[in-house]
Structures are given as structure tokens and as C-alpha cells.
Amino acid sequence: MATKKSPAKKKVATKVVKKAPVKKAVKKVAAKQVASKKTVKKVVKKPVAKKVAAKKPAAKKVAVKKLVAKKPAAKKPAAKKVAKKTAKPASSKSPKVDQYGLEQDDEFYGLYFAKSTNKGLVEVKPCTFSLMYWWKGLLGYPDMIEISKGSNTAMLQFESTFGGGDSGETELTEKDVLDIDHIIEVDEEEMMISLYSYVPIPVPEKLVGALSLAVLNINPETRYGSLEICPTENENGETEHFLRYRAATYLRGIKSGKVEAIESMVTNGSEFFGLALDAMCVNKSIKKWLLS
């Protein structure tokens, strides 16, 4: 702002200097026509020289004073305003969280859960509590959830029975029944719930190739979760292969409905695993193995 105003004032000063000698020269020549030209020039030059010399320093001093006074005044308020604007949004955006990192509008915000065991009270963190509420509160089963030391992980193991359809369009009928093992794991740090459903009998070595091909064909059609062939070592050190279905869901960001999310994962997982098993039974060797 100061640099734009100072040139404007200098231009005004130069205009005054140029116009002043012209006006005075005309007036004095008109009044003293008899006088010689030399005397007129001397009279005109002296007052013009004095007026120009007096006005130029005055114009410069005023301009210098205004520039010095306005430069720091223009920069300081700008720096303060920027600092205030950046500080205010940072403080307003930070939400309140509890000891588990849950925000204020979460259904479990600020709550502490614990269960009694033989070793005393064990802390039950939000994801584990959601699983416990689904298993005990909604289904009415006894508490079988194992909680680790520190309560950062938990595990639930249970069994179910799978039966085929009765529409006549499926490979497995309602007479074809097989047992399925389930494991639900909880990771509190990631706030993730994982479901693993197993066929409890190992896959014969001669069927591993055919079963792998079936998994590759069925997985793209599985809308939720995926099939896997999981190798493990038995007690004798021999490698065994098991067919399992895996699905997972994150509870992070779910402010209300964590229990419903777990229920939906297990329900959908069981449905899609059943459809995959039925599709595999197009291969009569695989069907015979499943029902053995």
C-alpha cells in the first residue's frame, strides 16, 4: 500500500513545478512591457529556483515518513490474522475420544466392561464386548470367549451343522448333512472381526488339485468372503490340507450397530459358504469326500 501512494505524490509535485514558472512569467511580462528582456529573465529565474528547491525536499520528507510508518503496520496485522485462522480450525476439529479411541458419539463411548474369571476380573474391550453380546445376549449361548492377557485379542470357537436344500435344484439335499467348525477372532487394535469356517476333515492328497481348481472357479462368484485351502502340520509332522471359508469386517468407524455388523458377517458368511460347498459337489469325488 505504501509503495503505490508515494509515486502519486511525486507526480503532483512535478506538475506544480512545471506550471508555476509559466504562470508567473506571463503575468510579469504583461505588467513590465517597457523593461528589457534580460531583467525580466533574471527576476523570473530567482523566485522559480527558490520555490522549486523549497518544495522538492518537503515532498520527499513526507513520502519517506509515510513509507517508514506504514510498512511495519501493514505486515504485523497480516501475520497475526494468519496465525489465528490456522489455530482455530485445529482446535475445533479434534473430537473427544475415550480410553479406547472411541469418539463421543459412539454407542460405547466412555464405558468400561469386565467379566469375572477364575483369575479375577478381565477387561472386555469394545469389539470383544460386541461379540459377547451377540453370542450371549442375542443367541443365549454360554460364555465361551477366550480373552488374551491385555485384552487386545479374543477368540470364540463353536460348531454348526450344514444341510443342503430341498428344492431339488441343488447338489446337496436336506439329507446331506455335514459338520462345520467355526472360529471368530477379535483384534482390538485394528478393531477387526474375522470369521473362519472349516470343513473339519483333511482333504485327500488326490483331491487337492481338483479342489484347488474348484476354489479358483467359485471365488470370483462369491460376493462375500473367499475360499482357501489351508495347509497345516499334524502331530506327526505331516502336511495336511483343509478347506476353509474366510470373511472379515472392520468395526472401526461404526458408531452404532457393532453387534448387528457381527451378526450380518456370520449370517452372510454361512450362506455363501453353503452355496460354495454345493457348487463344489458337481464333482462327485468332492461330494463323496465332504459327506464321508
Side-chain angles (χ1 to χ4, degrees):
M1 297 294 290
T3 54
K4 288 182 180 179
K5 286 183 178 180
S6 56
K9 290 182 178 180
K10 286 182 182 179
K11 287 182 181 178
V12 173
T14 53
K15 286 180 182 178
V16 173
V17 173
K18 288 179 181 178
K19 289 181 180 180
V22 174
K23 288 180 181 179
K24 290 183 179 181
V26 172
K27 288 180 181 179
K28 289 185 179 181
V29 171
K32 298 180 181 181
Q33 290 179 0
V34 182
S36 63
K37 292 181 180 179
K38 292 181 179 180
T39 55
V40 173
K41 287 180 181 179
K42 288 179 181 179
V43 173
V44 173
K45 285 181 180 178
K46 286 180 180 179
V48 171
K50 288 179 181 179
K51 286 181 180 179
V52 171
K55 285 183 179 179
K56 283 183 178 178
K60 287 181 180 177
K61 286 179 181 178
V62 173
V64 171
K65 285 180 181 178
K66 287 184 178 180
L67 286 172
V68 173
K70 286 185 178 180
K71 276 183 179 178
K75 288 181 180 177
K76 286 181 180 178
K80 288 180 180 178
K81 285 180 181 178
V82 172
K84 287 180 181 178
K85 285 180 180 179
T86 52
K88 284 180 181 178
S91 59
S92 62
K93 285 182 180 179
S94 56
K96 291 182 179 179
V97 296
D98 63 4
Q99 71 273 23
Y100 301 122
L102 302 178
E103 297 182 4
Q104 197 168 9
D105 55 347
D106 193 280
E107 59 186 342
F108 297 147
Y109 173 79
L111 298 179
Y112 176 84
F113 305 103
K115 77 170 185 175
S116 178
T117 64
N118 295 332
K119 297 179 181 180
L121 288 178
V122 176
E123 184 180 8
V124 182
K125 294 187 177 180
C127 296
T128 305
F129 177 80
S130 301
L131 177 63
M132 187 180 294
Y133 188 90
W134 168 74
W135 182 252
K136 291 180 61 179
L138 297 184
L139 301 182
Y141 294 131
D143 185 8
M144 303 182 335
I145 298 174
E146 300 175 8
I147 302 176
S148 68
K149 185 178 180 180
S151 303
N152 287 326
T153 60
M155 182 173 64
L156 170 65
Q157 300 183 61
F158 61 99
E159 298 176 354
S160 69
T161 302
F162 173 77
D166 57 355
S167 63
E169 298 178 358
T170 57
E171 296 295 328
L172 294 172
T173 67
E174 56 183 351
K175 293 181 180 180
D176 299 325
V177 178
L178 61 148
D179 295 329
I180 304 294
D181 291 345
H182 305 276
I183 296 176
I184 297 179
E185 294 181 348
V186 179
D187 186 340
E188 291 288 350
E189 293 182 353
E190 295 293 332
M191 295 194 74
M192 185 174 73
I193 309 289
S194 300
L195 167 68
Y196 300 93
S197 297
Y198 290 85
V199 175
I201 52 177
V203 181
E205 288 295 327
K206 61 182 180 179
L207 277 182
V208 171
L211 196 63
S212 300
L213 182 60
V215 168
L216 289 175
N217 292 331
I218 293 171
N219 265 340
E221 303 297 327
T222 306
R223 289 175 291 169
Y224 185 74
S226 61
L227 295 169
E228 301 173 339
I229 297 179
C230 180
T232 59
E233 282 191 6
N234 58 20
E235 296 177 354
N236 299 324
E238 300 171 345
T239 301
E240 293 181 333
H241 297 85
F242 288 88
L243 175 66
R244 76 178 183 184
Y245 170 86
R246 179 185 180 184
T249 186
Y250 278 97
L251 299 185
R252 188 186 304 278
I254 299 178
K255 302 299 180 66
S256 178
K258 296 181 181 63
V259 178
E260 290 79 2
I262 294 174
E263 183 180 31
S264 178
M265 178 189 70
V266 177
T267 302
N268 290 328
S270 299
E271 180 184 351
F272 288 119
F273 188 33
L275 293 173
L277 290 176
D278 186 77
M280 285 181 176
C281 287
V282 173
N283 186 320
K284 301 304 178 184
S285 298
I286 295 177
K287 182 178 180 179
K288 184 179 178 180
W289 160 69
L290 286 174
L291 299 177
S292 60

